[in-house]
Amino acid sequence: MKQMKEKTQVAVVTGAAAGIGKTIARRMGQDGFAVALLDRDGEKAKESASELANAGIRVKSYTGDLSQERDVRLVFSRIMADLGTIDVLIN
């Protein structure tokens, strides 16, 4: 019988460059999720992603403003292209 490869679940955490968002992103990564860090501050998001990646977490940062519909469409399209179907959204 052919075994199916289990898909890594994807979590998107908004406001994830610092504080509670970053802490939640770390925990989701520790629990085995691939994590998309989404924040308006792209540089801080990149720094946080680097820190989490150094801790062994599969993570990628994205810059966007959730109050702007165009940003939402673009960034979520990029996340899905990079990581696959989104399983969890934490806002």
Side-chain angles (χ1 to χ4, degrees), residues 8-83:
T8 300
Q9 290 190 306
V10 175
V12 177
V13 182
T14 66
I20 294 170
K22 182 177 173 182
T23 300
I24 291 170
R26 178 183 301 279
R27 180 56 192 254
M28 296 300 288
Q30 290 170 338
D31 287 346
F33 285 81
V35 182
L37 302 184
L38 175 56
D39 203 281
R40 288 183 292 190
D41 187 336
E43 286 304 311
K44 272 194 155 183
K46 285 180 187 177
E47 290 171 14
S48 293
S50 178
E51 179 183 322
L52 296 178
N54 288 336
I57 293 170
R58 182 176 170 204
V59 61
K60 188 160 172 81
S61 66
Y62 299 87
T63 304
D65 182 347
L66 294 180
S67 71
Q68 302 299 314
E69 184 178 346
R70 184 173 187 274
D71 277 12
V72 172
R73 289 177 191 268
L74 289 172
V75 76
F76 277 86
S77 292
R78 277 189 260 138
I79 291 168
M80 289 186 287
D82 293 344
L83 300 176

